Structures are given as C-alpha cells and as structure tokens.
Amino acid sequence: MSRLTKAYLATLKGKKVIFKVVKNFPDIKVKFVENFPDYKVKILDRKAFAVETIKIEVVDNFEDVKLQKVNHFPDFEVYVE
C-alpha cells in the first residue's frame, strides 16, 4: 500500500478501522493531541467489523495527521494493535 494522506482518512468517517502500530514503513504518521485535531477517534477494545487495516507510526513531530481520542461523537473508530 502506498503512503496515505490526511484527506484519505476523511473517507473513513463513520467506519471502524484497525491501526497496526509499526516502527518502519508506515502508511501514515500519527500524532495524538489534546486540542485542535484533524480527526476525532474513539478507541475500541475489539476489532469486530473493521473495514480496513492501516499501518501507523506514532510520532511527536512531522506527523501526517493529528488525532484526538474521544469518547463521544468520533469521526471514526479505531482498534489499535
């Protein structure tokens, strides 16, 4: 799979996705923030009904997208492996 962009994550709104955390060759670099996110995500405890698996690298700088963990009104839901 090629590199993904912030715009691609907009297509996942309302869906469930698996985020597989990797150190090398991620599909997208993610930074978890408290304020001003690009998207809000709800963290799931089960991966049932997930539509896609995306390899992510969690970084502090030079991220592709900023995500905020929320309990209500997420843009999409993720299960983190």
Side-chain angles (χ1 to χ4, degrees):
M1 186 181 283
S2 63
R3 287 274 296 170
L4 301 178
T5 63
K6 178 177 20 176
Y8 176 78
L9 294 182
T11 65
L12 301 175
K13 286 199 176 197
K15 298 181 181 176
K16 296 181 181 182
V17 181
I18 298 172
F19 278 177
K20 183 172 183 172
V21 179
V22 296
K23 296 272 185 199
N24 299 314
F25 308 111
D27 294 330
I28 195 164
K29 292 181 181 181
V30 172
K31 180 179 181 178
F32 287 100
V33 296
E34 295 295 322
N35 299 311
F36 309 111
D38 296 318
Y39 299 103
K40 296 178 181 180
V41 297
K42 180 177 181 181
I43 305 298
L44 301 173
D45 56 351
R46 287 180 276 158
K47 60 181 174 180
F49 306 110
V51 295
E52 186 172 350
T53 300
I54 298 173
K55 294 185 287 185
I56 67 163
E57 181 180 356
V58 179
V59 296
D60 292 328
N61 298 313
F62 309 112
E63 69 278 353
D64 296 323
V65 66
K66 294 183 232 173
L67 301 178
Q68 180 182 15
K69 298 176 189 177
V70 297
N71 291 324
H72 303 290
F73 309 112
D75 293 318
F76 54 94
E77 300 174 325
V78 299
Y79 173 78
V80 180
E81 289 185 336

PDB file of all heavy atoms in Angstrom, residues 51-77:
ATOM      1  N   VAL A  51     -13.238  -2.321   8.749  1.00  0.00           N
ATOM      2  CA  VAL A  51     -13.271  -2.353   7.283  1.00  0.00           C
ATOM      3  C   VAL A  51     -11.888  -2.329   6.651  1.00  0.00           C
ATOM      4  O   VAL A  51     -11.739  -2.679   5.486  1.00  0.00           O
ATOM      5  CB  VAL A  51     -14.101  -1.182   6.717  1.00  0.00           C
ATOM      6  CG1 VAL A  51     -15.556  -1.319   7.113  1.00  0.00           C
ATOM      7  CG2 VAL A  51     -13.558   0.152   7.166  1.00  0.00           C
ATOM      8  N   GLU A  52     -10.864  -1.921   7.416  1.00  0.00           N
ATOM      9  CA  GLU A  52      -9.537  -1.758   6.822  1.00  0.00           C
ATOM     10  C   GLU A  52      -8.468  -1.776   7.910  1.00  0.00           C
ATOM     11  O   GLU A  52      -8.727  -1.413   9.049  1.00  0.00           O
ATOM     12  CB  GLU A  52      -9.485  -0.426   6.071  1.00  0.00           C
ATOM     13  CG  GLU A  52      -8.232  -0.205   5.305  1.00  0.00           C
ATOM     14  CD  GLU A  52      -8.309   1.031   4.426  1.00  0.00           C
ATOM     15  OE1 GLU A  52      -9.387   1.609   4.273  1.00  0.00           O
ATOM     16  OE2 GLU A  52      -7.257   1.414   3.906  1.00  0.00           O
ATOM     17  N   THR A  53      -7.258  -2.183   7.536  1.00  0.00           N
ATOM     18  CA  THR A  53      -6.103  -2.127   8.431  1.00  0.00           C
ATOM     19  C   THR A  53      -5.112  -1.116   7.866  1.00  0.00           C
ATOM     20  O   THR A  53      -4.754  -1.181   6.695  1.00  0.00           O
ATOM     21  CB  THR A  53      -5.424  -3.499   8.553  1.00  0.00           C
ATOM     22  OG1 THR A  53      -6.370  -4.437   9.077  1.00  0.00           O
ATOM     23  CG2 THR A  53      -4.218  -3.435   9.474  1.00  0.00           C
ATOM     24  N   ILE A  54      -4.689  -0.180   8.729  1.00  0.00           N
ATOM     25  CA  ILE A  54      -3.741   0.852   8.330  1.00  0.00           C
ATOM     26  C   ILE A  54      -2.537   0.785   9.259  1.00  0.00           C
ATOM     27  O   ILE A  54      -2.701   0.771  10.478  1.00  0.00           O
ATOM     28  CB  ILE A  54      -4.383   2.250   8.413  1.00  0.00           C
ATOM     29  CG1 ILE A  54      -5.562   2.343   7.446  1.00  0.00           C
ATOM     30  CG2 ILE A  54      -3.353   3.331   8.097  1.00  0.00           C
ATOM     31  CD1 ILE A  54      -6.357   3.618   7.570  1.00  0.00           C
ATOM     32  N   LYS A  55      -1.330   0.736   8.671  1.00  0.00           N
ATOM     33  CA  LYS A  55      -0.111   0.744   9.472  1.00  0.00           C
ATOM     34  C   LYS A  55       0.224   2.185   9.830  1.00  0.00           C
ATOM     35  O   LYS A  55       0.325   3.032   8.944  1.00  0.00           O
ATOM     36  CB  LYS A  55       1.046   0.108   8.709  1.00  0.00           C
ATOM     37  CG  LYS A  55       0.854  -1.378   8.451  1.00  0.00           C
ATOM     38  CD  LYS A  55       2.065  -1.996   7.808  1.00  0.00           C
ATOM     39  CE  LYS A  55       2.145  -1.549   6.366  1.00  0.00           C
ATOM     40  NZ  LYS A  55       3.207  -2.176   5.596  1.00  0.00           N
ATOM     41  N   ILE A  56       0.369   2.447  11.141  1.00  0.00           N
ATOM     42  CA  ILE A  56       0.675   3.805  11.588  1.00  0.00           C
ATOM     43  C   ILE A  56       1.970   3.816  12.378  1.00  0.00           C
ATOM     44  O   ILE A  56       2.369   2.812  12.961  1.00  0.00           O
ATOM     45  CB  ILE A  56      -0.458   4.408  12.452  1.00  0.00           C
ATOM     46  CG1 ILE A  56      -0.594   3.662  13.784  1.00  0.00           C
ATOM     47  CG2 ILE A  56      -1.757   4.435  11.703  1.00  0.00           C
ATOM     48  CD1 ILE A  56      -1.366   4.423  14.830  1.00  0.00           C
ATOM     49  N   GLU A  57       2.601   4.964  12.386  1.00  0.00           N
ATOM     50  CA  GLU A  57       3.738   5.220  13.267  1.00  0.00           C
ATOM     51  C   GLU A  57       3.335   6.415  14.131  1.00  0.00           C
ATOM     52  O   GLU A  57       2.931   7.451  13.618  1.00  0.00           O
ATOM     53  CB  GLU A  57       4.993   5.552  12.472  1.00  0.00           C
ATOM     54  CG  GLU A  57       6.196   5.810  13.347  1.00  0.00           C
ATOM     55  CD  GLU A  57       7.450   6.135  12.547  1.00  0.00           C
ATOM     56  OE1 GLU A  57       7.413   6.091  11.304  1.00  0.00           O
ATOM     57  OE2 GLU A  57       8.471   6.444  13.172  1.00  0.00           O
ATOM     58  N   VAL A  58       3.407   6.238  15.448  1.00  0.00           N
ATOM     59  CA  VAL A  58       3.072   7.321  16.364  1.00  0.00           C
ATOM     60  C   VAL A  58       4.322   8.165  16.567  1.00  0.00           C
ATOM     61  O   VAL A  58       5.366   7.652  16.970  1.00  0.00           O
ATOM     62  CB  VAL A  58       2.552   6.764  17.706  1.00  0.00           C
ATOM     63  CG1 VAL A  58       2.226   7.886  18.662  1.00  0.00           C
ATOM     64  CG2 VAL A  58       1.327   5.885  17.477  1.00  0.00           C
ATOM     65  N   VAL A  59       4.210   9.462  16.265  1.00  0.00           N
ATOM     66  CA  VAL A  59       5.351  10.373  16.320  1.00  0.00           C
ATOM     67  C   VAL A  59       5.014  11.600  17.154  1.00  0.00           C
ATOM     68  O   VAL A  59       3.847  11.873  17.436  1.00  0.00           O
ATOM     69  CB  VAL A  59       5.788  10.812  14.901  1.00  0.00           C
ATOM     70  CG1 VAL A  59       6.282   9.639  14.094  1.00  0.00           C
ATOM     71  CG2 VAL A  59       4.672  11.531  14.179  1.00  0.00           C
ATOM     72  N   ASP A  60       6.046  12.344  17.538  1.00  0.00           N
ATOM     73  CA  ASP A  60       5.866  13.608  18.253  1.00  0.00           C
ATOM     74  C   ASP A  60       6.027  14.811  17.329  1.00  0.00           C
ATOM     75  O   ASP A  60       5.533  15.894  17.624  1.00  0.00           O
ATOM     76  CB  ASP A  60       6.880  13.722  19.399  1.00  0.00           C
ATOM     77  CG  ASP A  60       6.600  12.712  20.497  1.00  0.00           C
ATOM     78  OD1 ASP A  60       5.423  12.380  20.724  1.00  0.00           O
ATOM     79  OD2 ASP A  60       7.565  12.251  21.126  1.00  0.00           O
ATOM     80  N   ASN A  61       6.731  14.635  16.234  1.00  0.00           N
ATOM     81  CA  ASN A  61       6.986  15.710  15.273  1.00  0.00           C
ATOM     82  C   ASN A  61       6.819  15.191  13.851  1.00  0.00           C
ATOM     83  O   ASN A  61       6.946  14.001  13.597  1.00  0.00           O
ATOM     84  CB  ASN A  61       8.409  16.259  15.425  1.00  0.00           C
ATOM     85  CG  ASN A  61       8.632  16.862  16.789  1.00  0.00           C
ATOM     86  OD1 ASN A  61       7.815  17.641  17.276  1.00  0.00           O
ATOM     87  ND2 ASN A  61       9.740  16.491  17.415  1.00  0.00           N
ATOM     88  N   PHE A  62       6.564  16.106  12.923  1.00  0.00           N
ATOM     89  CA  PHE A  62       6.490  15.791  11.497  1.00  0.00           C
ATOM     90  C   PHE A  62       5.412  14.757  11.180  1.00  0.00           C
ATOM     91  O   PHE A  62       5.621  13.843  10.392  1.00  0.00           O
ATOM     92  CB  PHE A  62       7.851  15.331  10.964  1.00  0.00           C
ATOM     93  CG  PHE A  62       8.959  16.273  11.304  1.00  0.00           C
ATOM     94  CD1 PHE A  62       9.958  15.917  12.199  1.00  0.00           C
ATOM     95  CD2 PHE A  62       8.997  17.551  10.754  1.00  0.00           C
ATOM     96  CE1 PHE A  62      10.981  16.790  12.523  1.00  0.00           C
ATOM     97  CE2 PHE A  62      10.018  18.427  11.070  1.00  0.00           C
ATOM     98  CZ  PHE A  62      11.012  18.054  11.956  1.00  0.00           C
ATOM     99  N   GLU A  63       4.245  14.915  11.806  1.00  0.00           N
ATOM    100  CA  GLU A  63       3.139  13.991  11.597  1.00  0.00           C
ATOM    101  C   GLU A  63       2.412  14.302  10.292  1.00  0.00           C
ATOM    102  O   GLU A  63       2.486  15.415   9.767  1.00  0.00           O
ATOM    103  CB  GLU A  63       2.148  14.074  12.758  1.00  0.00           C
ATOM    104  CG  GLU A  63       1.370  15.374  12.829  1.00  0.00           C
ATOM    105  CD  GLU A  63       2.116  16.506  13.498  1.00  0.00           C
ATOM    106  OE1 GLU A  63       3.203  16.317  14.056  1.00  0.00           O
ATOM    107  OE2 GLU A  63       1.588  17.630  13.445  1.00  0.00           O
ATOM    108  N   ASP A  64       1.702  13.295   9.772  1.00  0.00           N
ATOM    109  CA  ASP A  64       0.837  13.490   8.608  1.00  0.00           C
ATOM    110  C   ASP A  64      -0.559  13.929   9.044  1.00  0.00           C
ATOM    111  O   ASP A  64      -1.235  14.654   8.318  1.00  0.00           O
ATOM    112  CB  ASP A  64       0.726  12.199   7.793  1.00  0.00           C
ATOM    113  CG  ASP A  64       2.055  11.766   7.207  1.00  0.00           C
ATOM    114  OD1 ASP A  64       2.842  12.647   6.803  1.00  0.00           O
ATOM    115  OD2 ASP A  64       2.305  10.555   7.148  1.00  0.00           O
ATOM    116  N   VAL A  65      -0.993  13.465  10.216  1.00  0.00           N
ATOM    117  CA  VAL A  65      -2.335  13.768  10.711  1.00  0.00           C
ATOM    118  C   VAL A  65      -2.325  13.826  12.234  1.00  0.00           C
ATOM    119  O   VAL A  65      -1.565  13.112  12.883  1.00  0.00           O
ATOM    120  CB  VAL A  65      -3.351  12.719  10.197  1.00  0.00           C
ATOM    121  CG1 VAL A  65      -3.076  11.353  10.761  1.00  0.00           C
ATOM    122  CG2 VAL A  65      -4.780  13.134  10.488  1.00  0.00           C
ATOM    123  N   LYS A  66      -3.167  14.717  12.794  1.00  0.00           N
ATOM    124  CA  LYS A  66      -3.315  14.832  14.249  1.00  0.00           C
ATOM    125  C   LYS A  66      -4.655  14.230  14.647  1.00  0.00           C
ATOM    126  O   LYS A  66      -5.691  14.583  14.062  1.00  0.00           O
ATOM    127  CB  LYS A  66      -3.276  16.292  14.693  1.00  0.00           C
ATOM    128  CG  LYS A  66      -1.949  16.961  14.483  1.00  0.00           C
ATOM    129  CD  LYS A  66      -1.999  18.365  15.011  1.00  0.00           C
ATOM    130  CE  LYS A  66      -1.508  19.299  13.927  1.00  0.00           C
ATOM    131  NZ  LYS A  66      -1.662  20.696  14.266  1.00  0.00           N
ATOM    132  N   LEU A  67      -4.642  13.319  15.622  1.00  0.00           N
ATOM    133  CA  LEU A  67      -5.854  12.664  16.093  1.00  0.00           C
ATOM    134  C   LEU A  67      -6.069  12.961  17.567  1.00  0.00           C
ATOM    135  O   LEU A  67      -5.111  13.049  18.333  1.00  0.00           O
ATOM    136  CB  LEU A  67      -5.764  11.149  15.899  1.00  0.00           C
ATOM    137  CG  LEU A  67      -5.551  10.643  14.476  1.00  0.00           C
ATOM    138  CD1 LEU A  67      -5.427   9.136  14.473  1.00  0.00           C
ATOM    139  CD2 LEU A  67      -6.679  11.091  13.566  1.00  0.00           C
ATOM    140  N   GLN A  68      -7.325  13.080  17.957  1.00  0.00           N
ATOM    141  CA  GLN A  68      -7.680  13.275  19.354  1.00  0.00           C
ATOM    142  C   GLN A  68      -8.547  12.096  19.780  1.00  0.00           C
ATOM    143  O   GLN A  68      -9.503  11.742  19.083  1.00  0.00           O
ATOM    144  CB  GLN A  68      -8.451  14.577  19.548  1.00  0.00           C
ATOM    145  CG  GLN A  68      -8.847  14.831  20.986  1.00  0.00           C
ATOM    146  CD  GLN A  68      -9.650  16.116  21.132  1.00  0.00           C
ATOM    147  OE1 GLN A  68     -10.149  16.681  20.166  1.00  0.00           O
ATOM    148  NE2 GLN A  68      -9.773  16.582  22.351  1.00  0.00           N
ATOM    149  N   LYS A  69      -8.217  11.500  20.928  1.00  0.00           N
ATOM    150  CA  LYS A  69      -9.005  10.402  21.471  1.00  0.00           C
ATOM    151  C   LYS A  69     -10.207  10.980  22.207  1.00  0.00           C
ATOM    152  O   LYS A  69     -10.054  11.831  23.076  1.00  0.00           O
ATOM    153  CB  LYS A  69      -8.172   9.573  22.442  1.00  0.00           C
ATOM    154  CG  LYS A  69      -6.976   8.911  21.808  1.00  0.00           C
ATOM    155  CD  LYS A  69      -6.147   8.190  22.847  1.00  0.00           C
ATOM    156  CE  LYS A  69      -4.846   7.702  22.284  1.00  0.00           C
ATOM    157  NZ  LYS A  69      -3.992   7.065  23.304  1.00  0.00           N
ATOM    158  N   VAL A  70     -11.413  10.522  21.837  1.00  0.00           N
ATOM    159  CA  VAL A  70     -12.647  10.991  22.457  1.00  0.00           C
ATOM    160  C   VAL A  70     -13.537   9.799  22.791  1.00  0.00           C
ATOM    161  O   VAL A  70     -13.332   8.695  22.290  1.00  0.00           O
ATOM    162  CB  VAL A  70     -13.424  11.969  21.539  1.00  0.00           C
ATOM    163  CG1 VAL A  70     -12.623  13.227  21.278  1.00  0.00           C
ATOM    164  CG2 VAL A  70     -13.819  11.319  20.237  1.00  0.00           C
ATOM    165  N   ASN A  71     -14.532  10.039  23.658  1.00  0.00           N
ATOM    166  CA  ASN A  71     -15.497   9.000  23.992  1.00  0.00           C
ATOM    167  C   ASN A  71     -16.832   9.205  23.278  1.00  0.00           C
ATOM    168  O   ASN A  71     -17.609   8.271  23.145  1.00  0.00           O
ATOM    169  CB  ASN A  71     -15.732   8.958  25.499  1.00  0.00           C
ATOM    170  CG  ASN A  71     -14.515   8.451  26.238  1.00  0.00           C
ATOM    171  OD1 ASN A  71     -13.812   7.570  25.759  1.00  0.00           O
ATOM    172  ND2 ASN A  71     -14.240   9.018  27.396  1.00  0.00           N
ATOM    173  N   HIS A  72     -17.111  10.431  22.847  1.00  0.00           N
ATOM    174  CA  HIS A  72     -18.383  10.738  22.212  1.00  0.00           C
ATOM    175  C   HIS A  72     -18.159  11.486  20.902  1.00  0.00           C
ATOM    176  O   HIS A  72     -17.250  12.291  20.786  1.00  0.00           O
ATOM    177  CB  HIS A  72     -19.242  11.603  23.133  1.00  0.00           C
ATOM    178  CG  HIS A  72     -19.492  10.986  24.469  1.00  0.00           C
ATOM    179  ND1 HIS A  72     -20.293   9.883  24.647  1.00  0.00           N
ATOM    180  CD2 HIS A  72     -19.016  11.291  25.697  1.00  0.00           C
ATOM    181  CE1 HIS A  72     -20.325   9.562  25.916  1.00  0.00           C
ATOM    182  NE2 HIS A  72     -19.537  10.400  26.588  1.00  0.00           N
ATOM    183  N   PHE A  73     -19.020  11.211  19.934  1.00  0.00           N
ATOM    184  CA  PHE A  73     -19.023  11.898  18.636  1.00  0.00           C
ATOM    185  C   PHE A  73     -17.682  11.822  17.883  1.00  0.00           C
ATOM    186  O   PHE A  73     -17.145  12.841  17.449  1.00  0.00           O
ATOM    187  CB  PHE A  73     -19.450  13.356  18.802  1.00  0.00           C
ATOM    188  CG  PHE A  73     -20.726  13.511  19.578  1.00  0.00           C
ATOM    189  CD1 PHE A  73     -20.710  14.096  20.828  1.00  0.00           C
ATOM    190  CD2 PHE A  73     -21.926  13.046  19.065  1.00  0.00           C
ATOM    191  CE1 PHE A  73     -21.884  14.226  21.559  1.00  0.00           C
ATOM    192  CE2 PHE A  73     -23.099  13.175  19.790  1.00  0.00           C
ATOM    193  CZ  PHE A  73     -23.079  13.771  21.045  1.00  0.00           C
ATOM    194  N   PRO A  74     -17.150  10.598  17.698  1.00  0.00           N
ATOM    195  CA  PRO A  74     -15.901  10.481  16.926  1.00  0.00           C
ATOM    196  C   PRO A  74     -16.172  10.577  15.425  1.00  0.00           C
ATOM    197  O   PRO A  74     -17.286  10.352  14.957  1.00  0.00           O
ATOM    198  CB  PRO A  74     -15.416   9.077  17.287  1.00  0.00           C
ATOM    199  CG  PRO A  74     -16.683   8.312  17.504  1.00  0.00           C
ATOM    200  CD  PRO A  74     -17.631   9.306  18.178  1.00  0.00           C
ATOM    201  N   ASP A  75     -15.124  10.927  14.680  1.00  0.00           N
ATOM    202  CA  ASP A  75     -15.214  10.877  13.222  1.00  0.00           C
ATOM    203  C   ASP A  75     -15.189   9.437  12.738  1.00  0.00           C
ATOM    204  O   ASP A  75     -15.896   9.065  11.808  1.00  0.00           O
ATOM    205  CB  ASP A  75     -14.071  11.666  12.589  1.00  0.00           C
ATOM    206  CG  ASP A  75     -14.185  13.162  12.867  1.00  0.00           C
ATOM    207  OD1 ASP A  75     -15.316  13.698  12.791  1.00  0.00           O
ATOM    208  OD2 ASP A  75     -13.151  13.784  13.173  1.00  0.00           O
ATOM    209  N   PHE A  76     -14.337   8.614  13.365  1.00  0.00           N
ATOM    210  CA  PHE A  76     -14.311   7.184  13.097  1.00  0.00           C
ATOM    211  C   PHE A  76     -13.750   6.468  14.324  1.00  0.00           C
ATOM    212  O   PHE A  76     -13.243   7.097  15.233  1.00  0.00           O
ATOM    213  CB  PHE A  76     -13.548   6.818  11.808  1.00  0.00           C
ATOM    214  CG  PHE A  76     -12.150   7.359  11.736  1.00  0.00           C
ATOM    215  CD1 PHE A  76     -11.078   6.592  12.149  1.00  0.00           C
ATOM    216  CD2 PHE A  76     -11.895   8.612  11.200  1.00  0.00           C
ATOM    217  CE1 PHE A  76      -9.781   7.084  12.062  1.00  0.00           C
ATOM    218  CE2 PHE A  76     -10.611   9.111  11.101  1.00  0.00           C
ATOM    219  CZ  PHE A  76      -9.548   8.339  11.544  1.00  0.00           C
ATOM    220  N   GLU A  77     -13.910   5.141  14.336  1.00  0.00           N
ATOM    221  CA  GLU A  77     -13.484   4.336  15.478  1.00  0.00           C
ATOM    222  C   GLU A  77     -12.304   3.473  15.084  1.00  0.00           C
ATOM    223  O   GLU A  77     -12.254   2.968  13.950  1.00  0.00           O
ATOM    224  CB  GLU A  77     -14.645   3.459  15.963  1.00  0.00           C
ATOM    225  CG  GLU A  77     -15.851   4.267  16.407  1.00  0.00           C
ATOM    226  CD  GLU A  77     -17.048   3.424  16.749  1.00  0.00           C
ATOM    227  OE1 GLU A  77     -17.251   2.387  16.091  1.00  0.00           O
ATOM    228  OE2 GLU A  77     -17.767   3.799  17.671  1.00  0.00           O
TER     229      GLU A  77
END
